Amino acid sequence: MIKLLLVTALIGAIYAEETAKAYKCMKSPDTDGDPLGEETCTAALPDAQICKFPKFVITTGDLVAAAQKYGCGACDTANTEPATQCATCKGDKCNVKVETVEFKCPTYAANTAGDKFEEGDERSCFKTKGTHGECNTPGSEATVEAGTKHWEATDSGCGACAKDKADANICKTVSSAMGLSALLLPLVAAIYTLF
């Protein structure tokens, strides 16, 4: 009987260790302008180890809501932290300070005949520092005419395509890194021919 109790207690301790473990999230400072701090959180492993942080506007780089806090757990979407301004991530201190950098996306408009898209000037977009920016562009099935295959830029071309539009080849997501490669490859080729 004593052995059974010991085994039960051991299993319970192991289960508790697996379902509730301390982790850390970055925390908003008490005074504006101060650096982010850290706070200890407790949650089940592994999927419930959630941290929250503010979203930014992809076309300007500004925070959607300056009042949005960094901290432990999921966003309070039913009250003060709607999904439009609050984002989450999983893992220890994953909610690092949001820092944005500018990148460029092409714009597209209908040609004079109104039967296809033509690339126009680039516009400024913003991405999280250290990541590749994404642009939404017309896909191979995109049409200028109104209808089920009509393409229209989202956020002026900044950001990825909606999944349903991408799956239907109405929209094509292009990485900003690919745009840079497209500029560099001809230069590399020209240099290569000199040797």
Side-chain angles (χ1 to χ4, degrees), residues 178-195:
M178 289 178 62
L180 180 62
S181 297
L183 293 173
L184 292 178
L185 286 176
L187 177 61
V188 172
I191 294 173
Y192 180 79
T193 59
L194 298 175
F195 296 95

Side-chain angles (χ1 to χ4, degrees), residues 37-121:
E38 297 180 3
E39 64 178 335
T40 300
C41 323
T42 303
L45 289 172
D47 289 339
Q49 290 190 348
I50 297 173
C51 302
K52 59 188 173 185
F53 59 97
K55 287 184 176 180
F56 66 91
V57 182
I58 195 171
T59 54
T60 65
D62 299 324
L63 296 182
V64 175
Q68 175 60 51
K69 303 293 186 183
Y70 294 79
C72 296
C75 302
D76 184 9
T77 54
N79 294 295
T80 59
E81 298 177 324
T84 53
Q85 73 179 48
C86 184
T88 58
C89 58
K90 294 179 181 179
D92 198 57
K93 293 188 284 188
C94 61
N95 61 335
V96 296
K97 183 179 179 180
V98 175
E99 294 184 272
T100 61
V101 293
E102 184 180 352
F103 70 100
K104 300 291 186 180
C105 279
T107 59
Y108 290 86
N111 64 358
T112 305
D115 58 357
K116 65 179 181 179
F117 291 102
E118 288 185 344
E119 185 173 335
D121 296 333

